[in-house]
C-alpha cells in the first residue's frame, strides 16, 4: 500500500513513518518543517529520509498537494498548528492552517480524479474538542461543565462545578458521545477539521476515522517548541536544576498516552477493514496529576530542582481529563500497553542525551499570553 502522511516530519509522523516502512509499505510525507517545531532542522531523520518520497511545502499549497496525493491508497492527516495557549491569540493562523488546509485537501479529493484510489482517511483530532469533558454530580448524574471563569480561578477555585447546583463534581472518563465544548481556538479548529473529514468520508462512502489523541509524549517530541507539552518543558528545567513552576495547585490532571500506543492505534485505524466513520479516543485511560509529572521528572534528574505550585493559570486550559477507551477497544482492538511511569522513564532517558535547549521561547510564550490577558494569578502560593 502507499500512504501519504501530511505533517509527517513531526513527532507522531516520523514514528508512524518508521512503522509503515518496516511493514513494507510505500510512504509519502508532506511537511513545511515549521521552525517553531523543527528549529533549523529542515530535513527528515536519516533513518527514514532515504525510503520516503518527500514533498516540502504547505498543506494549503494545492498543486503540491495534488502531486503528493497521486497514486495514494490512504491518507493520515496530521498537518496542523498545535498549542492551546498560542491559538488564543494567533487565531487567523490556526484557522488558516487547520481549517483551510483541510478544506484544500478535501476539495482536491472531491474534485480531482487522483482521489479514486483513496480508501481511508485518518485525521489526528484531539481531546481538546471536548473541553472539560465528563464529570459526575451526585444529584444530576453525568454532566459536561462549561469553561472555568477567570474570577473563580483568581480566587483559587480551580475545579469546575455543576452548572445546575452547588454540589462538588468528580471527573469521569469521557466517551465519544460527549458534546463538543472546545475551550480554545485550537480545540475549535480541531473540531471543524475532524467533522469536515468525517462528512467527506460519509459522502464518498469510504472509511474516515478521527483519532482523538489525548496528551501524546515520548522520545522524539520537539524540545524546541514551547507549546509541545509540559514533559518537554519540565525535563529541560530539571536537567539544568532550575525551578519547576506548576500552574494552579498542581492537582490538575491529564491522560498521557505513550507514542508507541498512539502509533499502534493509528495503524489499526488505517488498516480497519469494516466500514467505519467516526471519532475514537486514543489515550491511556489513566489520569496523572501535573504535580506527579514534575516530581517524576525531577527525581529522574537527581532532584536538583525546586518544585513550586504558583497559582498561575492560563485562560482556555482545562482542569482534568481522562479518556474512555471502550470504543477504541471495540473498533480498533486497541489497548494501551505503556503505563505513565514506564513511558516517562523512556522519554527521560532519551531527553537526557538531547542537546539542551534554552527556555527563551517558553518564557516568551508566557509573556505573550500575559500581555494579551490570557494568564492569571490566583491568590495562593505554595512552595515545596
Amino acid at each position: 500500500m502507499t500512504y501519504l502522511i501530511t505533517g509527517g516530519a513531526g513527532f507522531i509522523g516520523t514514528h508512524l513513518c518508521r512503522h509503515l516502512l518496516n511493514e513494507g509499505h510505500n510512504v509519502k510525507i508532506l511537511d513545511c518543517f515549521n521552525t517553531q517545531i523543527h528549529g533549523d532542522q529542515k530535513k527528515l531523520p536519516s533513518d527514514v529520509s532515504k525510503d520516503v518520497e518527500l514533498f516540502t511545502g504547505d498543506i494549503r499549497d494545492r498543486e503540491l498537494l495534488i502531486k503528493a496525493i497521486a497514486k495514494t491508497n490512504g491518507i493520515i492527516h496530521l498537518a496542523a498548528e498545535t498549542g492551546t495557549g498560542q491559538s488564543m491569540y494567533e487565531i487567523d493562523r490556526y484557522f488558516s492552517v487547520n481549517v483551510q488546509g483541510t478544506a484544500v485537501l478535501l476539495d482536491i479529493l472531491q474534485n480531482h480524479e487522483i482521489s479514486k484510489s483513496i480508501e481511508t482517511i485518518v485525521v489526528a483530532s484531539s481531546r481538546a474538542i471536548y473541553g472539560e469533558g465528563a464529570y459526575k454530580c451526585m444529584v444530576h448524574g453525568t454532566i459536561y461543565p462549561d469553561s472555568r471563569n477567570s474570577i473563580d480561578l483568581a480566587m483559587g477555585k480551580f475545579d469546575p462545578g455543576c452548572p445546575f447546583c452547588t454540589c462538588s463534581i468528580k471527573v469521569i472518563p469521557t466517551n465519544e458521545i460527549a458534546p463538543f465544548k472546545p475551550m480554545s481556538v485550537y480545540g475549535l479548529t480541531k473540531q471543524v477539521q475532524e467533522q469536515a473529514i468525517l462528512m467527506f468520508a460519509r459522502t464518498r462512502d469510504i472509511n474516515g476515522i478521527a483519532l482523538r489523541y489525548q496528551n501524546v509524549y515520548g522520545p522524539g517530541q520537539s524540545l524546541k517548541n514551547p507549546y509541545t507539552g509540559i514533559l518537554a518543558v519540565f525535563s529541560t528545567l530539571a536537567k539544568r536544576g532550575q525551578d519547576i513552576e506548576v500552574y494552579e495547585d498542581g492537582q490538575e490532571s491529564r491522560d498521557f498516552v505513550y507514542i508507541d500506543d498512539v502509533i499502534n492505534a493509528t495503524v489499526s485505524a488505517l488498516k480497519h477493514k469494516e466500514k467505519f466513520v467516526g471519532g475514537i479516543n486514543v489515550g491511556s485511560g489513566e489520569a496523572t496529576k501535573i504535580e506527579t509529572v514534575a516530581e517524576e521528572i525531577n527525581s529522574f534528574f537527581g532532584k536538583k530542582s525546586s518544585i513550586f505550585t504558583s497559582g498561575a493559570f492560563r485562560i482556555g486550559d482545562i482542569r482534568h481529563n481522562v479518556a474512555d477507551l471502550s470504543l477504541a477497544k471495540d473498533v480498533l482492538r486497541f489497548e494501551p500497553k505503556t503505563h505513565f511511569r514506564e513511558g516517562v522513564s523512556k522519554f527521560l532517558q532519551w531527553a537526557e542525551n538531547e542537546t539542551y535547549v534554552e527556555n527563551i521561547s517558553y518564557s516568551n510564550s508566557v509573556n505573550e499570553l500575559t500581555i494579551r490577558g490570557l494568564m492569571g494569578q490566583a491568590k495562593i502560593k505554595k512552595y515545596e
Side-chain angles (χ1 to χ4, degrees):
M1 302 290 281
T2 299
Y3 296 114
L4 169 64
I5 309 174
T6 70
F11 171 41
I12 297 174
T14 51
H15 279 269
L16 178 61
C17 180
R18 291 186 184 101
H19 187 106
L20 294 174
L21 288 173
N22 287 338
E23 290 188 342
H25 300 291
N26 302 311
V27 178
K28 304 177 184 181
I29 284 177
L30 184 146
D31 204 293
C32 68
F33 292 92
N34 187 323
T35 301
Q36 181 171 294
I37 298 169
H38 298 275
D40 296 329
Q41 188 71 18
K42 301 298 183 183
K43 58 183 180 180
L44 294 170
S46 58
D47 62 326
V48 300
S49 60
K50 64 181 183 300
D51 296 316
V52 305
E53 187 174 2
L54 176 62
F55 298 84
T56 303
D58 196 287
I59 186 66
R60 294 162 292 185
D61 185 334
R62 177 179 294 270
E63 295 306 314
L64 183 66
L65 195 50
I66 288 172
K67 293 177 183 177
I69 293 171
K71 299 179 181 179
T72 296
N73 303 118
I75 297 174
I76 307 95
H77 185 35
L78 306 179
E81 294 288 354
T82 60
T84 299
Q86 186 182 47
S87 77
M88 299 295 281
Y89 60 88
E90 294 205 17
I91 299 169
D92 179 69
R93 180 158 71 96
Y94 273 71
F95 268 92
S96 180
V97 175
N98 297 1
V99 177
Q100 184 58 32
T102 301
V104 173
L105 171 65
L106 295 180
D107 191 75
I108 292 169
L109 294 180
Q110 178 61 40
N111 297 305
H112 204 290
E113 62 181 12
I114 61 170
S115 68
K116 292 179 180 179
S117 60
I118 302 296
E119 301 174 5
T120 299
I121 304 177
V122 175
V123 58
S125 186
S126 170
R127 67 87 42 221
I129 66 174
Y130 297 127
E132 281 291 346
Y135 284 73
K136 181 71 75 174
C137 172
M138 292 181 64
V139 175
H140 296 98
T142 301
I143 59 168
Y144 303 94
D146 293 326
S147 59
R148 300 173 295 166
N149 66 67
S150 58
I151 296 175
D152 285 343
L153 291 169
M155 296 177 63
K157 185 180 178 182
F158 298 120
D159 288 306
C162 177
F164 309 111
C165 68
T166 58
C167 292
S168 61
I169 56 178
K170 181 179 179 180
V171 66
I172 59 175
T174 300
N175 62 29
E176 291 80 0
I177 66 171
F180 297 141
K181 300 184 77 170
M183 296 177 182
S184 66
V185 171
Y186 168 72
L188 180 57
T189 63
K190 296 305 285 187
Q191 176 190 334
V192 175
Q193 188 183 58
E194 81 149 58
Q195 292 300 293
I197 294 285
L198 299 184
M199 179 186 294
F200 174 81
R202 291 188 188 97
T203 302
R204 287 292 294 270
D205 196 30
I206 63 174
N207 274 6
I209 302 178
L211 297 178
R212 296 171 182 171
Y213 296 140
Q214 309 299 299
N215 291 69
V216 185
Y217 73 100
Q221 71 183 93
S222 176
L223 300 179
K224 304 176 181 70
N225 185 358
Y227 301 97
T228 197
I230 59 169
L231 271 78
V233 173
F234 286 178
S235 62
T236 301
L237 293 171
K239 282 175 68 174
R240 300 285 292 182
Q242 297 173 331
D243 288 353
I244 299 175
E245 178 186 9
V246 179
Y247 287 169
E248 301 187 15
D249 59 356
Q251 300 305 296
E252 64 272 29
S253 66
R254 299 292 184 267
D255 185 329
F256 293 98
V257 56
Y258 190 64
I259 184 62
D260 289 356
D261 289 326
V262 167
I263 298 308
N264 288 336
T266 305
V267 172
S268 294
L270 191 59
K271 296 180 177 181
H272 188 66
K273 298 301 181 184
E274 293 79 23
K275 186 66 65 180
F276 186 87
V277 177
I280 301 178
N281 290 333
V282 176
S284 69
E286 299 177 350
T288 302
K289 294 179 180 179
I290 303 305
E291 183 179 67
T292 301
V293 174
E295 291 168 351
E296 287 282 342
I297 292 174
N298 194 35
S299 178
F300 179 88
F301 288 109
K303 297 185 177 181
K304 296 183 292 184
S305 298
S306 295
I307 300 172
F308 68 99
T309 52
S310 65
F313 58 86
R314 298 191 309 180
I315 303 299
D317 272 358
I318 62 165
R319 178 62 169 171
H320 300 293
N321 85 276
V322 59
D324 184 325
L325 303 179
S326 302
L327 187 61
K329 183 176 181 179
D330 290 344
V331 175
L332 305 178
R333 303 294 183 263
F334 167 74
E335 291 190 62
K337 297 179 180 178
T338 307
H339 292 287
F340 179 73
R341 180 161 290 182
E342 176 189 355
V344 79
S345 177
K346 292 179 180 179
F347 164 74
L348 293 172
Q349 288 171 35
W350 167 80
E352 186 176 27
N353 297 315
E354 291 297 297
T355 303
Y356 171 73
V357 180
E358 191 63 51
N359 274 311
I360 295 174
S361 57
Y362 176 67
S363 299
N364 288 344
S365 70
V366 175
N367 289 337
E368 291 282 2
L369 291 170
T370 302
I371 291 169
R372 289 168 170 80
L374 297 169
M375 287 288 298
Q377 177 65 54
K379 297 177 181 178
I380 66 165
K381 200 163 190 178
K382 183 180 76 173
Y383 290 90
E384 298 179 354

